[in-house]
Amino acid sequence: MRHSSLLAVVLTACVAASPRAQQSARVPERPDQPIFRLSVSLVQLDVVVTDRHGRHVTNLGRDDFEVYQDGRPEPVTAVSYVDAADDWVDTSGLAALPVESLRPRDARRVMAVVVDDLRMSFESIAQARYGLKKFAEREFRAGDLAVLVTTSGGSQHPPVLTFSPLVLKAAVGRLGYSLWGVRGASALDPVTDPRDLADGYDNFQERTFALSSLERVEAVIDSMKGLPGRKSVTLVSEGFSLFGFGMDNQLIRDFMRQLVDHANRAGVVVYALNPRGLVVTGPMAADAVNPARAAQLSMMRGAALRESQDGLRYLAGETGGFAVVESNDFPGGLRKIVTD
């Protein structure tokens, strides 16, 4: 059974804000003016409970949960299960509101997709475009609020939260391969120069762009703090190493811990999806190495692949989500994430 780790964190953050709210609401006591005092009396928490097979447990009540603040138990007043697959039926007979008139507080699910396009191969970009397009066409439901963000940024089409699958699909269509020449897990690419085996891949470049990508994820999480509903960020990336390839990646590890803390305090669950799919770590026809060094090349690629996936697994697992790696079914992996 998997419990959300953000219960006490979110509760502490919300309840701790109430004294400040009371202080800011105080006004000089004058006989001719009423006095209003504010306090927090109800805190709503988002929780996911699954069985050993990853299926949602739907029949839990308030007696099945315990919430603590500063070591003291807090009363749980009500627990309800919300099934995102259930369509709300409008029986009022009124015309449906246009998408443009909906506001963020009307959202049932808030989903951000961060595409690490700066560090993805051409093939991975193509897989991401195909899978995200299928999601916009088939999985996007009424009440879903979504945004697509890229690590490369770009001011021509800034990311916007939208209730419209058409707007999301248009954003997906603008995804393109970055020509910056940045390689992701470059140890998995063909070796065209035998000296690459001695140098390994460029750790400084890898660490710099990994930090830039994680900063982008952090900015998206911070922008979702005040939004209601089930909030999630799906990072589409070929991964990044927590320990480097023979080098210390303390900066990335420290930033990852900070990012996990921000996500838990904001009530945002992070998922990771690797579009690279199944990877062959053995020698390839394009490798310009002699057979004697083929074993060394295979070991180097295997280590690089494991380390890149470990970064995705850590980020997702510490925030209540999971990572989908080593799968050629990008749409299926995204569907699994949306279902959760």
Side-chain angles (χ1 to χ4, degrees), residues 199-208 241-253 307:
D199 297 336
Y201 58 85
D202 190 344
N203 285 272
F204 175 77
Q205 184 186 52
E206 175 71 9
R207 182 169 60 250
T208 300
S241 173
L242 292 175
F243 301 98
F245 201 75
M247 291 186 66
D248 181 26
N249 270 10
Q250 186 64 40
L251 284 176
I252 290 184
R253 292 197 294 272
E307 289 183 358

Side-chain angles (χ1 to χ4, degrees), residues 92-142:
S92 64
L94 300 175
L97 291 174
V99 174
E100 295 78 9
S101 65
L102 297 176
R103 292 168 291 182
R105 70 181 185 184
D106 300 320
R108 295 184 63 188
R109 297 185 300 188
V110 183
M111 299 174 287
V113 180
V114 180
V115 180
D116 192 7
D117 58 338
L118 276 179
R119 305 169 57 250
M120 288 168 57
S121 64
F122 180 84
E123 294 79 5
S124 293
I125 287 290
Q127 287 289 338
R129 288 186 57 169
Y130 173 78
L132 292 171
K133 179 181 177 182
K134 293 297 182 184
F135 162 73
E137 293 175 345
R138 302 177 182 179
E139 305 293 334
F140 202 89
R141 297 182 177 274

Side-chain angles (χ1 to χ4, degrees), residues 46-48 108-111 228-232 267 269 271 320 340:
D46 180 54
V47 178
V48 174
R108 295 184 63 188
R109 297 185 300 188
V110 183
M111 299 174 287
R230 173 76 168 159
K231 296 178 288 187
S232 66
V269 179
Y271 300 91
D340 190 64

Side-chain angles (χ1 to χ4, degrees), residues 18 23 32 37 43 50 52 59 66 77 119 155 189 203 207 212 240 258 265 272 279 283-284 294 298 317 322-323:
S18 59
Q23 184 177 2
D32 57 339
R37 292 184 173 88
V43 177
T50 60
R52 65 181 65 182
N59 58 349
E66 293 180 351
T77 59
R119 305 169 57 250
S155 58
D189 297 332
N203 285 272
R207 182 169 60 250
S212 176
F240 40 84
Q258 174 184 323
R265 290 181 180 275
V279 179
M284 295 181 288
S298 181
F322 53 81

Side-chain angles (χ1 to χ4, degrees), residues 17-31:
S18 59
R20 290 194 294 270
Q22 290 177 343
Q23 184 177 2
S24 62
R26 290 173 182 169
V27 296
E29 297 188 9
R30 296 174 54 183

Side-chain angles (χ1 to χ4, degrees), residues 110-115 145-151 153 159-161 212-227 231-235 255 259 262-263 266-270:
V110 183
M111 299 174 287
V113 180
V114 180
V115 180
L145 184 62
V147 62
L148 178 68
V149 180
T150 61
T151 55
V160 293
L161 284 164
S212 176
S213 300
L214 293 175
E215 288 174 353
R216 190 70 165 166
V217 175
E218 183 181 48
V220 173
I221 290 174
D222 289 341
S223 68
M224 301 173 70
K225 282 182 179 179
L227 297 176
K231 296 178 288 187
S232 66
V233 172
T234 299
L235 174 61
F255 195 90
L259 184 59
H262 279 209
V268 177
V269 179
V270 179

